[in-house]
Amino acid sequence: MTRFAALDLAALPDLPVLRPLDFDAVLEARLAELEAHLSDVFNPEKAASIMALARNIASSPTRYLSEAAAARELYMENRINEAVRSVFLSMARGAALDHIGAGRGVVRKVLDHSDPDAPVYEADDAFRARIQLVIEAWSPHGTEGSYVYWALDADDLVVDVAVYGPNHGIDPPIPPAEPKMVILSREGDGTASEYLLARVFQHCAADTRRPVADKLSVVSAVPVAYSIEAVLHVTSPEAASAVLAAAEASAAAFINSRIRIGRKLYRTSIAAALNVQGVVDVELISPAADLDIGPFEAAHCTDMTLSIQTITGGWRDI
């Protein structure tokens, strides 16, 4: 999309300063340090007898104290790792991400105000994407990323935005200086109401956010309905209910991740989401084919029906 939004933060490698958390390695280092100190104080036989207790007898005070010290060191290492992560946009979570957003003038959205004691806030990934995109909003030249940021900022009901211009190869072609913005709503099947479209237009049309020569138009995404029906093959009847619950949760997360404008839906991706632990095969009945989603469309799941079929896998599955 843009030079900033195109950066995949999730693909960045871990920082070298982050240390792996390995209790066994920390404990072994503690024991080696203890053995070195004992060798300086006691004769080899005495040191060896103490170390034999420390290494082999779980109830030994020396072993217990070594494990407790290793655990405390591991907790400290984890706190240091979390402190390092909290200052980077790609890794910060929760309150740490809120502070990074505040530094760029971005506040986490409240998606559901119905319960004042337990409001539903914007998820970290969506909030992180807006923080990353806000740099585009500082440009007064109507970049694609700028329009997307201000559209997302217009109303909490906006879940996705696409902006097209003459360089996007849309048919029919979009004339220069007449960008077309597509809005996907969080409510219902994703169709944006006239009120929401007007609200987004007014928010984006301010002279400080839109080039004076731009003739902006805002339209709603067109939902493309589909349903998921699948038979999950398992070998363990006892675990069928747990497998079904895990598959339903995985499928729901997949469906939520595909609430996007212009995002093609592949059968293989649906099957992969349903292939949770305990599933041997996925028999995907619906959709019968991949869904081609156009630039002004968005996939909308209307129903999900999952069933379990127990199969006999033979002695290999015992």
Side-chain angles (χ1 to χ4, degrees):
M1 175 196 288
T2 68
R3 61 189 177 203
F4 296 108
L7 296 174
D8 186 1
L9 298 180
L12 294 174
D14 272 344
L15 294 168
V17 71
L18 297 177
R19 295 186 56 180
L21 302 178
D22 188 337
F23 176 79
D24 291 335
V26 175
L27 177 59
E28 181 57 35
R30 285 274 180 178
L31 292 173
E33 183 180 1
L34 174 62
E35 187 171 15
H37 285 303
L38 291 175
S39 299
D40 293 337
V41 178
F42 300 108
N43 60 56
E45 292 77 13
K46 181 65 173 178
S49 65
I50 296 175
M51 288 308 303
L53 292 173
R55 291 187 179 277
N56 303 314
I57 307 300
S59 60
S60 166
T62 309
R63 176 74 181 193
Y64 175 80
L65 291 173
S66 296
E67 289 182 348
R72 290 180 65 86
E73 183 175 337
L74 199 69
Y75 297 152
M76 181 58 67
E77 289 287 354
N78 183 59
R79 289 189 61 183
I80 293 173
N81 285 351
E82 289 301 315
V84 171
R85 291 190 180 101
S86 69
V87 299
F88 289 93
L89 177 60
S90 59
M91 293 178 283
R93 295 174 299 178
L97 191 61
D98 289 333
H99 282 273
I100 293 177
R104 297 187 181 182
V106 187
V107 178
R108 192 187 295 265
K109 292 181 178 181
V110 181
L111 304 181
D112 188 351
H113 306 260
S114 58
D115 185 355
D117 297 326
V120 178
Y121 288 97
E122 183 179 20
D124 280 349
D125 288 342
F127 186 35
R128 193 189 325 276
R130 290 199 304 116
I131 296 172
Q132 184 181 5
L133 198 60
V134 70
I135 301 175
E136 296 277 358
W138 299 340
S139 169
H141 302 299
T143 65
E144 180 183 353
S146 174
Y147 274 130
V148 169
Y149 175 83
W150 289 119
L152 291 171
D153 187 64
D155 197 289
D156 293 345
L157 291 179
V158 179
V159 68
D160 195 27
V161 184
V163 181
Y164 301 116
N167 296 327
H168 285 91
I170 303 297
D171 187 21
I174 296 177
E178 295 185 16
K180 182 160 289 190
M181 179 181 291
V182 188
I183 300 297
L184 183 63
S185 174
R186 196 180 301 276
E187 291 185 323
D189 62 0
T191 302
S193 65
E194 291 298 325
Y195 168 80
L196 182 59
L197 295 178
R199 185 174 174 84
V200 171
F201 176 82
Q202 292 297 329
H203 197 69
C204 296
D207 289 341
T208 54
R209 300 169 184 171
R210 176 195 61 160
V212 175
D214 269 7
K215 184 181 179 182
L216 176 66
S217 60
V218 182
V219 299
S220 172
V222 178
V224 178
Y226 72 98
S227 62
I228 295 177
E229 182 179 358
V231 179
L232 309 180
H233 294 207
V234 301
T235 57
S236 174
E238 295 78 9
S241 59
V243 170
L244 183 61
E248 289 175 343
S250 178
F254 171 81
I255 292 169
N256 186 62
S257 70
R258 290 304 190 274
I259 303 177
R260 298 290 184 269
I261 298 170
R263 182 77 176 268
K264 184 173 181 177
L265 194 67
Y266 293 93
R267 282 168 47 87
T268 53
S269 299
I270 299 174
L274 294 173
N275 193 16
V276 297
Q277 182 70 31
V279 174
V280 178
D281 289 305
V282 176
E283 183 183 347
L284 188 60
I285 301 171
S286 177
D290 296 337
L291 269 68
D292 285 321
I293 307 297
F296 295 91
E297 298 174 334
H300 171 64
C301 185
T302 58
D303 188 35
M304 179 173 62
T305 304
L306 304 181
S307 58
I308 295 288
Q309 180 177 335
T310 304
I311 62 173
T312 302
W315 62 270
R316 296 182 186 275
D317 293 324
I318 296 177

